[in-house]
Amino acid sequence: MALPTLTPEQRAEALAKAQEARKARSELLAALKAGTLSLGDVLSREDAVAKKTKVTQVLKALPGYGPAKVAALIEKLGIDENRRVGGLGEQQRAKLLAEING
């Protein structure tokens, strides 16, 4: 299926919207890394920014979690590496919080 042809105005609007989304996601991950937000805060948020962020990105933003540790954790919990926060079920969220909070 071919992509629709966009006018220059529509293209500029879409690019601006994408840039805003990336900025908001970056701010969310920075707050998580700085410790001003906890994993529970991020998992319980209902906004589109949090819901559309990949679980692996969220976990890698946690202090002490790198690519290898995150990969092992999501494999242990049976979470797909491409899963987004909004796509996690209640049991997956609970298991994830239990593992992180120890």
Side-chain angles (χ1 to χ4, degrees):
M1 183 171 155
L3 293 174
T5 305
L6 299 177
T7 66
E9 295 82 22
Q10 290 173 322
R11 183 172 168 78
E13 195 176 303
L15 288 172
K17 185 177 176 184
Q19 186 176 15
E20 286 176 29
R22 283 192 299 272
K23 183 179 179 193
R25 193 165 36 254
S26 175
E27 290 171 355
L28 173 78
L29 295 174
L32 190 60
K33 187 172 191 123
T36 56
L37 278 179
S38 70
L39 179 62
D41 294 336
V42 174
L43 294 178
S44 64
R45 284 178 57 162
E46 292 294 322
D47 61 301
V49 174
K51 284 185 171 185
K52 291 184 178 182
T53 304
K54 287 189 176 187
V55 175
T56 53
Q57 285 182 311
V58 170
L59 294 176
K60 285 178 189 175
L62 292 171
Y65 284 83
K69 200 169 187 180
V70 168
L73 179 62
I74 64 170
E75 185 177 332
K76 177 182 177 183
L77 298 177
I79 298 173
D80 183 35
E81 66 182 29
N82 294 316
R83 176 76 60 203
R84 296 181 188 275
V85 172
L88 289 175
E90 286 302 315
Q91 289 183 349
Q92 287 176 319
R93 290 172 194 258
K95 286 180 185 178
L96 194 55
L97 282 171
E99 282 290 325
I100 297 296
N101 295 332

Coordinates of all heavy atoms in Angstrom, one line a residue:
M1 N 0.8 -1.2 0.0 CA 0.0 0.0 0.0 C 0.9 1.2 0.0 O 1.8 1.4 0.8 CB -0.9 0.0 1.3 CG -1.8 1.1 1.3 SD -3.0 0.8 2.7 CE -3.4 2.4 3.1
A2 N 0.7 2.1 -0.9 CA 1.5 3.3 -1.1 C 1.1 4.4 0.0 O -0.1 4.4 0.4 CB 1.3 3.9 -2.5
L3 N 2.0 5.1 0.4 CA 1.8 6.2 1.3 C 1.0 7.3 0.6 O 1.3 7.6 -0.5 CB 3.1 6.7 1.9 CG 3.8 5.8 2.8 CD1 5.2 6.4 3.2 CD2 3.1 5.5 4.1
P4 N 0.1 8.0 1.4 CA -0.6 9.1 0.7 C 0.4 10.3 0.5 O 1.3 10.5 1.2 CB -1.6 9.5 1.8 CG -1.1 9.0 3.1 CD -0.3 7.8 2.7
T5 N 0.1 11.0 -0.6 CA 0.9 12.2 -0.9 C 0.5 13.3 0.0 O -0.7 13.6 0.0 CB 0.7 12.6 -2.4 OG1 1.0 11.4 -3.2 CG2 1.6 13.7 -2.8
L6 N 1.4 13.9 0.6 CA 1.1 15.0 1.5 C 1.5 16.3 0.9 O 2.5 16.4 0.2 CB 1.9 14.8 2.9 CG 1.6 13.6 3.7 CD1 2.5 13.5 4.9 CD2 0.2 13.5 4.1
T7 N 0.8 17.3 1.2 CA 1.1 18.7 0.8 C 2.3 19.1 1.7 O 2.5 18.6 2.8 CB 0.0 19.7 1.0 OG1 -0.3 19.8 2.4 CG2 -1.3 19.2 0.2
P8 N 3.1 20.1 1.3 CA 4.2 20.6 2.1 C 3.7 21.0 3.5 O 4.4 20.8 4.5 CB 4.7 21.8 1.3 CG 4.4 21.4 -0.1 CD 3.1 20.7 0.0
E9 N 2.5 21.6 3.6 CA 2.0 22.0 4.9 C 1.7 20.8 5.8 O 2.0 20.8 7.0 CB 0.7 22.9 4.7 CG 1.0 24.2 4.0 CD 1.0 24.1 2.5 OE1 0.4 23.1 2.0 OE2 1.5 25.0 1.9
Q10 N 1.1 19.8 5.2 CA 0.8 18.6 6.0 C 2.1 17.9 6.4 O 2.1 17.4 7.5 CB 0.0 17.6 5.1 CG -1.5 18.1 4.8 CD -2.2 17.2 3.9 OE1 -1.5 16.7 2.9 NE2 -3.5 17.0 4.1
R11 N 3.1 17.9 5.5 CA 4.3 17.3 5.9 C 5.0 18.0 7.0 O 5.5 17.4 8.0 CB 5.2 17.2 4.6 CG 6.5 16.5 4.9 CD 7.3 16.4 3.5 NE 8.7 16.0 3.7 CZ 9.1 14.8 4.0 NH1 8.2 13.8 4.1 NH2 10.3 14.5 4.2
A12 N 5.0 19.3 7.0 CA 5.6 20.1 8.0 C 4.9 19.9 9.3 O 5.5 19.8 10.4 CB 5.6 21.6 7.6
E13 N 3.6 19.8 9.3 CA 2.8 19.6 10.5 C 3.1 18.3 11.1 O 3.2 18.1 12.3 CB 1.3 19.7 10.1 CG 0.3 19.8 11.2 CD -1.1 20.0 10.7 OE1 -1.3 21.0 10.0 OE2 -1.9 19.2 11.1
A14 N 3.2 17.2 10.2 CA 3.5 15.9 10.7 C 4.9 15.8 11.3 O 5.1 15.2 12.4 CB 3.4 14.9 9.6
L15 N 5.9 16.5 10.7 CA 7.2 16.5 11.3 C 7.3 17.2 12.6 O 8.0 16.8 13.5 CB 8.2 17.2 10.3 CG 8.5 16.4 9.0 CD1 9.3 17.2 8.0 CD2 9.3 15.2 9.4
A16 N 6.5 18.3 12.7 CA 6.5 19.1 14.0 C 5.9 18.2 15.1 O 6.3 18.2 16.2 CB 5.7 20.4 13.8
K17 N 4.8 17.5 14.8 CA 4.1 16.6 15.7 C 5.0 15.5 16.2 O 5.1 15.2 17.4 CB 2.9 16.1 15.1 CG 2.0 15.3 16.0 CD 0.7 14.8 15.3 CE -0.1 13.9 16.2 NZ -1.2 13.3 15.6
A18 N 5.8 14.9 15.3 CA 6.7 13.9 15.6 C 7.9 14.4 16.5 O 8.3 13.7 17.4 CB 7.3 13.2 14.3
Q19 N 8.3 15.6 16.2 CA 9.4 16.2 17.0 C 8.9 16.4 18.4 O 9.7 16.2 19.4 CB 9.9 17.5 16.3 CG 11.1 18.1 17.0 CD 11.6 19.3 16.3 OE1 10.9 19.9 15.5 NE2 12.8 19.7 16.6
E20 N 7.7 16.9 18.6 CA 7.1 17.1 19.9 C 7.0 15.8 20.7 O 7.3 15.8 21.9 CB 5.7 17.8 19.8 CG 5.7 19.2 19.4 CD 4.3 19.8 19.2 OE1 3.4 19.3 19.9 OE2 4.2 20.7 18.4
A21 N 6.6 14.8 20.0 CA 6.5 13.5 20.7 C 7.8 13.0 21.1 O 8.0 12.4 22.2 CB 5.8 12.5 19.7
R22 N 8.9 13.1 20.2 CA 10.2 12.7 20.6 C 10.7 13.5 21.8 O 11.4 12.9 22.7 CB 11.2 12.8 19.4 CG 11.0 11.7 18.4 CD 12.2 11.7 17.4 NE 12.2 13.0 16.6 CZ 11.6 13.2 15.5 NH1 10.8 12.3 15.0 NH2 11.7 14.4 14.9
K23 N 10.5 14.7 21.8 CA 10.9 15.6 22.9 C 10.3 15.2 24.2 O 10.9 15.1 25.3 CB 10.6 17.1 22.6 CG 11.2 18.0 23.7 CD 10.9 19.4 23.3 CE 11.4 20.3 24.5 NZ 10.9 21.7 24.4
A24 N 9.0 15.0 24.2 CA 8.2 14.6 25.4 C 8.7 13.2 25.9 O 8.9 13.0 27.1 CB 6.7 14.5 25.1
R25 N 9.0 12.3 25.0 CA 9.4 11.0 25.4 C 10.8 11.1 26.0 O 11.2 10.4 27.0 CB 9.4 10.0 24.2 CG 9.6 8.6 24.5 CD 9.3 7.6 23.4 NE 9.6 8.1 22.0 CZ 8.7 8.5 21.1 NH1 7.4 8.5 21.4 NH2 9.1 8.9 19.9
S26 N 11.7 11.9 25.4 CA 13.0 12.1 25.9 C 13.0 12.7 27.4 O 13.7 12.3 28.2 CB 13.8 13.1 25.0 OG 15.0 13.4 25.5
E27 N 12.1 13.7 27.6 CA 11.9 14.3 28.9 C 11.4 13.2 29.9 O 11.9 13.2 31.1 CB 10.9 15.4 28.9 CG 11.5 16.7 28.1 CD 10.5 17.7 27.9 OE1 9.3 17.5 28.2 OE2 10.9 18.8 27.4
L28 N 10.5 12.4 29.5 CA 10.0 11.3 30.4 C 11.2 10.4 30.8 O 11.4 10.1 32.0 CB 8.9 10.5 29.7 CG 8.5 9.2 30.4 CD1 7.5 9.6 31.5 CD2 7.8 8.3 29.4
L29 N 12.0 9.9 29.8 CA 13.1 9.0 30.1 C 14.2 9.7 31.0 O 14.8 9.1 31.8 CB 13.7 8.5 28.8 CG 12.7 7.6 28.0 CD1 13.3 7.2 26.7 CD2 12.3 6.4 28.8
A30 N 14.4 11.0 30.7 CA 15.4 11.8 31.5 C 14.9 11.9 33.0 O 15.7 11.7 33.9 CB 15.6 13.1 30.9
A31 N 13.6 12.1 33.2 CA 13.1 12.2 34.6 C 13.2 10.8 35.3 O 13.5 10.7 36.4 CB 11.6 12.6 34.5
L32 N 13.0 9.7 34.5 CA 13.2 8.4 35.1 C 14.6 8.1 35.5 O 14.9 7.6 36.5 CB 12.7 7.4 34.1 CG 12.5 5.9 34.5 CD1 11.5 5.8 35.6 CD2 12.1 5.1 33.3
K33 N 15.5 8.5 34.6 CA 17.0 8.3 34.8 C 17.4 9.2 36.0 O 18.2 8.7 36.8 CB 17.8 8.7 33.6 CG 19.2 8.4 33.7 CD 19.9 8.6 32.4 CE 21.3 8.0 32.4 NZ 21.5 7.1 31.4
A34 N 16.9 10.4 36.2 CA 17.3 11.3 37.3 C 16.7 10.9 38.6 O 17.1 11.3 39.6 CB 16.9 12.7 36.9
G35 N 15.6 10.0 38.5 CA 15.0 9.6 39.8 C 13.8 10.4 40.2 O 13.3 10.2 41.3
T36 N 13.4 11.4 39.4 CA 12.3 12.2 39.8 C 11.0 11.4 39.5 O 9.9 11.8 40.0 CB 12.3 13.5 39.0 OG1 12.3 13.3 37.6 CG2 13.4 14.4 39.5
L37 N 11.0 10.4 38.6 CA 9.9 9.5 38.3 C 10.4 8.1 38.7 O 11.5 7.7 38.5 CB 9.5 9.6 36.9 CG 8.6 10.7 36.4 CD1 8.4 10.5 34.9 CD2 7.3 10.7 37.1
S38 N 9.4 7.3 39.2 CA 9.7 5.9 39.4 C 9.1 5.0 38.3 O 8.3 5.5 37.5 CB 9.2 5.4 40.8 OG 7.8 5.4 40.7
L39 N 9.5 3.8 38.2 CA 9.0 2.9 37.2 C 7.5 2.8 37.4 O 6.7 2.8 36.5 CB 9.6 1.5 37.3 CG 9.1 0.5 36.3 CD1 9.4 0.9 34.9 CD2 9.8 -0.9 36.6
G40 N 7.0 2.7 38.7 CA 5.6 2.6 39.0 C 4.8 3.8 38.4 O 3.7 3.7 37.9
D41 N 5.4 5.0 38.6 CA 4.8 6.3 38.0 C 4.6 6.2 36.5 O 3.6 6.5 36.0 CB 5.7 7.5 38.3 CG 5.8 7.8 39.8 OD1 4.9 7.4 40.6 OD2 6.8 8.4 40.2
V42 N 5.7 5.7 35.8 CA 5.6 5.6 34.4 C 4.6 4.6 33.9 O 3.8 4.8 33.0 CB 7.0 5.3 33.8 CG1 6.9 5.0 32.3 CG2 8.0 6.4 34.1
L43 N 4.6 3.4 34.6 CA 3.6 2.3 34.2 C 2.2 2.7 34.5 O 1.3 2.2 33.9 CB 4.0 1.0 35.0 CG 5.3 0.4 34.6 CD1 5.5 -0.9 35.4 CD2 5.3 0.1 33.1
S44 N 1.9 3.6 35.5 CA 0.6 4.0 35.8 C 0.1 5.2 35.1 O -1.1 5.5 35.2 CB 0.4 4.2 37.3 OG 1.2 5.3 37.7
R45 N 0.9 5.8 34.3 CA 0.5 7.0 33.5 C -0.4 6.6 32.4 O -0.3 5.6 31.8 CB 1.7 7.8 33.0 CG 2.4 8.5 34.0 CD 3.7 9.2 33.5 NE 3.4 10.1 32.4 CZ 4.2 11.1 32.0 NH1 5.4 11.3 32.7 NH2 3.9 11.9 31.0
E46 N -1.4 7.5 32.1 CA -2.4 7.2 31.1 C -2.2 8.1 29.9 O -3.0 8.0 29.0 CB -3.8 7.5 31.7 CG -4.2 6.4 32.7 CD -4.3 5.0 32.2 OE1 -4.8 4.9 31.1 OE2 -3.9 4.1 32.9
D47 N -1.2 8.9 29.8 CA -1.0 9.8 28.7 C -0.3 9.0 27.5 O 0.3 8.0 27.7 CB -0.1 11.0 29.0 CG 1.2 10.6 29.5 OD1 1.3 9.9 30.5 OD2 2.2 11.1 28.9
A48 N -0.5 9.6 26.3 CA 0.0 8.9 25.1 C 1.5 8.8 25.1 O 2.1 7.8 24.5 CB -0.5 9.7 23.9
V49 N 2.2 9.8 25.7 CA 3.7 9.7 25.7 C 4.2 8.5 26.4 O 5.0 7.7 25.8 CB 4.3 11.0 26.3 CG1 5.8 10.9 26.5 CG2 3.9 12.2 25.6
A50 N 3.7 8.2 27.6 CA 4.1 7.0 28.3 C 3.6 5.8 27.6 O 4.4 4.8 27.5 CB 3.5 7.1 29.7
K51 N 2.4 5.7 27.2 CA 1.8 4.5 26.6 C 2.6 4.1 25.3 O 2.7 2.9 25.0 CB 0.4 4.7 26.2 CG -0.5 4.7 27.5 CD -2.0 4.7 27.0 CE -2.9 4.5 28.2 NZ -4.3 4.4 27.8
K52 N 3.1 5.1 24.6 CA 3.8 4.8 23.3 C 5.3 4.6 23.4 O 6.0 4.3 22.4 CB 3.5 5.9 22.3 CG 2.0 5.9 21.8 CD 1.8 6.9 20.8 CE 0.3 6.9 20.3 NZ 0.1 7.8 19.2
T53 N 5.8 4.6 24.6 CA 7.2 4.4 24.9 C 7.5 2.9 25.0 O 6.7 2.2 25.7 CB 7.7 5.2 26.1 OG1 7.3 6.5 26.0 CG2 9.2 5.0 26.3
K54 N 8.5 2.4 24.4 CA 8.9 1.0 24.5 C 9.3 0.7 25.9 O 10.0 1.4 26.5 CB 9.9 0.7 23.5 CG 9.4 0.6 22.0 CD 10.5 0.1 21.1 CE 9.9 0.0 19.7 NZ 10.8 -0.7 18.8
V55 N 9.0 -0.5 26.3 CA 9.3 -1.0 27.7 C 10.8 -1.1 27.8 O 11.4 -0.7 28.8 CB 8.7 -2.4 27.9 CG1 9.2 -2.9 29.3 CG2 7.2 -2.2 27.9
T56 N 11.5 -1.5 26.7 CA 13.0 -1.6 26.8 C 13.6 -0.2 27.0 O 14.6 -0.1 27.7 CB 13.6 -2.2 25.5 OG1 13.1 -1.6 24.4 CG2 13.2 -3.7 25.4
Q57 N 13.1 0.8 26.4 CA 13.6 2.2 26.6 C 13.4 2.6 28.0 O 14.3 3.2 28.6 CB 12.9 3.2 25.6 CG 13.3 3.1 24.2 CD 12.6 4.2 23.4 OE1 11.4 4.3 23.5 NE2 13.3 4.9 22.6
V58 N 12.3 2.3 28.6 CA 12.0 2.7 29.9 C 12.9 2.0 30.9 O 13.5 2.6 31.8 CB 10.5 2.4 30.3 CG1 10.2 2.5 31.8 CG2 9.6 3.3 29.5
L59 N 13.1 0.7 30.7 CA 14.0 0.0 31.6 C 15.5 0.4 31.4 O 16.2 0.5 32.4 CB 13.9 -1.5 31.3 CG 12.5 -2.2 31.6 CD1 12.5 -3.6 31.2 CD2 12.2 -2.0 33.1
K60 N 15.9 0.7 30.2 CA 17.3 1.2 30.0 C 17.5 2.5 30.7 O 18.7 2.9 31.0 CB 17.6 1.2 28.5 CG 17.8 -0.1 27.9 CD 18.1 0.0 26.4 CE 18.1 -1.3 25.7 NZ 18.3 -1.2 24.3
A61 N 16.5 3.3 30.9 CA 16.6 4.6 31.5 C 16.8 4.5 33.0 O 17.2 5.4 33.7 CB 15.4 5.5 31.2
L62 N 16.4 3.3 33.6 CA 16.6 3.1 35.0 C 18.1 3.0 35.4 O 18.9 2.4 34.7 CB 15.9 1.8 35.5 CG 14.4 1.8 35.4 CD1 13.9 0.4 35.7 CD2 13.8 2.8 36.4
P63 N 18.5 3.6 36.5 CA 19.9 3.5 36.9 C 20.3 2.1 37.2 O 19.6 1.4 37.8 CB 20.0 4.4 38.2 CG 18.8 5.3 38.1 CD 17.7 4.5 37.3
G64 N 21.4 1.7 36.6 CA 21.9 0.3 36.8 C 21.4 -0.7 35.8 O 21.7 -1.9 35.9
Y65 N 20.6 -0.3 34.8 CA 20.1 -1.2 33.8 C 20.6 -0.9 32.4 O 20.3 0.2 31.9 CB 18.6 -1.2 33.8 CG 18.0 -2.0 35.0 CD1 17.8 -1.4 36.2 CD2 17.6 -3.3 34.8 CE1 17.3 -2.1 37.3 CE2 17.1 -4.0 35.9 CZ 17.0 -3.4 37.1 OH 16.5 -4.1 38.2
G66 N 21.4 -1.8 31.9 CA 21.9 -1.6 30.5 C 21.2 -2.6 29.6 O 20.3 -3.3 30.0
P67 N 21.7 -2.6 28.3 CA 21.1 -3.5 27.3 C 21.0 -4.9 27.7 O 20.0 -5.6 27.5 CB 21.9 -3.3 26.1 CG 22.6 -1.9 26.3 CD 22.8 -1.8 27.8
A68 N 22.1 -5.5 28.3 CA 22.2 -6.9 28.6 C 21.2 -7.2 29.8 O 20.5 -8.2 29.7 CB 23.6 -7.3 29.0
K69 N 21.2 -6.4 30.8 CA 20.3 -6.7 31.9 C 18.9 -6.5 31.6 O 18.0 -7.3 32.0 CB 20.7 -5.7 33.0 CG 20.2 -6.1 34.4 CD 20.9 -5.2 35.5 CE 20.6 -5.7 36.9 NZ 21.2 -4.8 37.9
V70 N 18.6 -5.6 30.7 CA 17.2 -5.3 30.2 C 16.7 -6.5 29.4 O 15.6 -7.0 29.5 CB 17.0 -4.0 29.5 CG1 15.7 -3.9 28.8 CG2 17.2 -2.8 30.4
A71 N 17.6 -7.0 28.5 CA 17.2 -8.1 27.6 C 17.0 -9.4 28.4 O 16.0 -10.1 28.2 CB 18.4 -8.4 26.6
A72 N 17.8 -9.6 29.4 CA 17.6 -10.8 30.3 C 16.3 -10.7 31.1 O 15.6 -11.7 31.2 CB 18.8 -10.9 31.2
L73 N 16.0 -9.5 31.6 CA 14.8 -9.3 32.4 C 13.5 -9.5 31.5 O 12.6 -10.2 32.0 CB 14.8 -7.8 33.0 CG 13.6 -7.5 33.8 CD1 13.5 -8.4 35.0 CD2 13.7 -6.0 34.2
I74 N 13.5 -8.9 30.4 CA 12.2 -9.0 29.6 C 12.1 -10.4 29.0 O 10.9 -10.9 28.9 CB 12.1 -8.0 28.4 CG1 13.2 -8.1 27.4 CG2 12.1 -6.6 29.0 CD1 13.0 -7.3 26.1
E75 N 13.2 -11.1 28.8 CA 13.1 -12.5 28.4 C 12.5 -13.4 29.6 O 11.7 -14.2 29.4 CB 14.4 -13.0 27.9 CG 14.3 -14.5 27.4 CD 15.7 -15.0 26.9 OE1 16.5 -14.1 26.4 OE2 15.9 -16.2 26.9
K76 N 13.1 -13.1 30.8 CA 12.6 -13.8 32.0 C 11.1 -13.6 32.2 O 10.4 -14.6 32.6 CB 13.4 -13.3 33.2 CG 13.0 -14.0 34.5 CD 13.8 -13.4 35.6 CE 13.4 -14.0 36.9 NZ 14.1 -13.4 38.1
L77 N 10.6 -12.4 32.0 CA 9.2 -12.1 32.2 C 8.3 -12.4 31.0 O 7.1 -12.3 31.1 CB 9.1 -10.6 32.6 CG 9.8 -10.2 33.9 CD1 9.6 -8.7 34.1 CD2 9.3 -11.0 35.1
G78 N 8.9 -12.8 29.9 CA 8.1 -13.1 28.7 C 7.5 -11.9 28.1 O 6.4 -12.0 27.5
I79 N 8.2 -10.8 28.1 CA 7.7 -9.6 27.5 C 8.4 -9.4 26.1 O 9.6 -9.5 26.1 CB 7.9 -8.3 28.4 CG1 7.2 -8.5 29.7 CG2 7.5 -7.1 27.7 CD1 7.5 -7.4 30.7
D80 N 7.6 -9.1 25.1 CA 8.2 -8.9 23.8 C 9.1 -7.7 23.8 O 8.7 -6.7 24.4 CB 7.1 -8.8 22.7 CG 7.6 -8.6 21.3 OD1 8.7 -9.2 21.0 OD2 7.0 -7.9 20.5
E81 N 10.2 -7.7 23.1 CA 11.2 -6.6 23.1 C 10.6 -5.4 22.4 O 11.1 -4.3 22.7 CB 12.5 -7.0 22.5 CG 12.4 -7.3 21.0 CD 13.8 -7.7 20.4 OE1 14.6 -8.2 21.2 OE2 14.0 -7.5 19.2
N82 N 9.6 -5.5 21.6 CA 9.0 -4.4 20.9 C 7.7 -3.9 21.6 O 7.0 -3.0 21.1 CB 8.6 -4.7 19.5 CG 9.9 -5.0 18.7 OD1 10.8 -4.2 18.8 ND2 9.9 -6.0 17.9
R83 N 7.4 -4.5 22.8 CA 6.2 -4.1 23.5 C 6.3 -2.7 24.0 O 7.3 -2.2 24.5 CB 5.9 -5.0 24.7 CG 4.8 -4.7 25.6 CD 3.5 -5.1 25.0 NE 3.4 -6.5 24.7 CZ 2.6 -7.0 23.9 NH1 1.7 -6.3 23.2 NH2 2.5 -8.3 23.7
R84 N 5.2 -1.9 24.0 CA 5.1 -0.6 24.5 C 4.4 -0.6 25.8 O 3.7 -1.5 26.1 CB 4.4 0.3 23.5 CG 5.2 0.4 22.2 CD 4.6 1.3 21.2 NE 5.3 1.2 19.9 CZ 6.4 1.9 19.6 NH1 6.9 2.8 20.4 NH2 7.0 1.8 18.4
V85 N 4.6 0.4 26.6 CA 4.1 0.5 28.0 C 2.6 0.3 28.0 O 2.0 -0.4 28.8 CB 4.5 1.8 28.7 CG1 3.8 1.9 30.0 CG2 6.0 1.8 28.9
G86 N 1.9 1.0 27.0 CA 0.5 0.9 26.9 C 0.0 -0.5 26.6 O -1.2 -0.8 26.8
G87 N 0.8 -1.4 26.0 CA 0.4 -2.7 25.7 C 0.7 -3.8 26.7 O 0.4 -5.0 26.6
L88 N 1.2 -3.4 27.9 CA 1.4 -4.3 29.0 C 0.1 -4.6 29.7 O -0.7 -3.7 30.0 CB 2.4 -3.7 30.0 CG 3.9 -3.6 29.6 CD1 4.7 -2.9 30.6 CD2 4.5 -5.0 29.3
G89 N 0.0 -5.8 30.1 CA -1.2 -6.2 30.9 C -0.9 -6.0 32.4 O 0.2 -5.7 32.8
E90 N -1.9 -6.1 33.2 CA -1.8 -5.9 34.6 C -0.8 -6.8 35.3 O 0.0 -6.4 36.1 CB -3.1 -6.0 35.3 CG -4.0 -4.8 35.1 CD -3.4 -3.5 35.5 OE1 -2.8 -3.4 36.6 OE2 -3.5 -2.5 34.7
Q91 N -0.8 -8.1 34.9 CA 0.1 -9.1 35.4 C 1.5 -8.8 35.0 O 2.5 -8.9 35.8 CB -0.3 -10.5 35.0 CG -1.5 -11.0 35.7 CD -1.9 -12.4 35.3 OE1 -1.3 -13.0 34.4 NE2 -2.8 -13.0 36.0
Q92 N 1.7 -8.4 33.8 CA 3.1 -8.0 33.3 C 3.6 -6.8 34.1 O 4.8 -6.8 34.5 CB 3.1 -7.7 31.8 CG 2.9 -9.0 31.0 CD 2.8 -8.7 29.5 OE1 2.2 -7.7 29.1 NE2 3.5 -9.5 28.7
R93 N 2.8 -5.8 34.3 CA 3.2 -4.7 35.1 C 3.6 -5.0 36.5 O 4.6 -4.6 37.0 CB 2.0 -3.6 35.1 CG 1.8 -3.0 33.8 CD 0.5 -2.1 33.9 NE 0.1 -1.7 32.6 CZ 0.3 -0.5 32.0 NH1 0.9 0.4 32.7 NH2 -0.2 -0.2 30.8
A94 N 2.7 -5.9 37.1 CA 3.0 -6.3 38.5 C 4.3 -7.1 38.6 O 5.1 -6.9 39.5 CB 1.9 -7.1 39.0
K95 N 4.6 -8.0 37.6 CA 5.8 -8.8 37.6 C 7.0 -7.9 37.4 O 8.0 -8.1 38.0 CB 5.8 -9.8 36.5 CG 4.9 -11.0 36.8 CD 4.9 -12.0 35.6 CE 3.9 -13.1 35.8 NZ 3.9 -14.0 34.7
L96 N 6.9 -6.9 36.5 CA 8.0 -6.0 36.2 C 8.3 -5.2 37.4 O 9.5 -5.0 37.8 CB 7.5 -5.1 35.0 CG 8.6 -4.3 34.3 CD1 9.7 -5.2 33.8 CD2 8.0 -3.5 33.2
L97 N 7.3 -4.6 38.1 CA 7.5 -3.9 39.3 C 8.2 -4.7 40.4 O 9.1 -4.3 41.1 CB 6.2 -3.2 39.8 CG 5.8 -2.0 39.0 CD1 4.4 -1.6 39.5 CD2 6.7 -0.8 39.2
A98 N 7.7 -6.0 40.6 CA 8.2 -6.9 41.6 C 9.7 -7.2 41.3 O 10.5 -7.2 42.2 CB 7.4 -8.1 41.6
E99 N 10.1 -7.3 40.1 CA 11.5 -7.6 39.7 C 12.4 -6.4 39.9 O 13.5 -6.6 40.4 CB 11.6 -8.1 38.2 CG 11.1 -9.5 38.0 CD 12.1 -10.5 38.5 OE1 13.3 -10.3 38.5 OE2 11.6 -11.6 39.0
I100 N 11.9 -5.3 39.5 CA 12.7 -4.1 39.7 C 12.9 -3.6 41.1 O 13.9 -3.3 41.6 CB 12.1 -2.9 38.8 CG1 12.1 -3.2 37.4 CG2 12.9 -1.6 39.1 CD1 13.4 -3.4 36.7
N101 N 11.7 -3.7 41.9 CA 11.8 -3.3 43.3 C 12.3 -4.3 44.2 O 12.5 -4.1 45.4 CB 10.4 -2.8 43.7 CG 9.9 -1.6 42.9 OD1 10.7 -0.8 42.5 ND2 8.6 -1.5 42.8
G102 N 12.6 -5.5 43.6 CA 13.2 -6.6 44.3 C 12.5 -7.1 45.5 O 12.8 -7.7 46.4

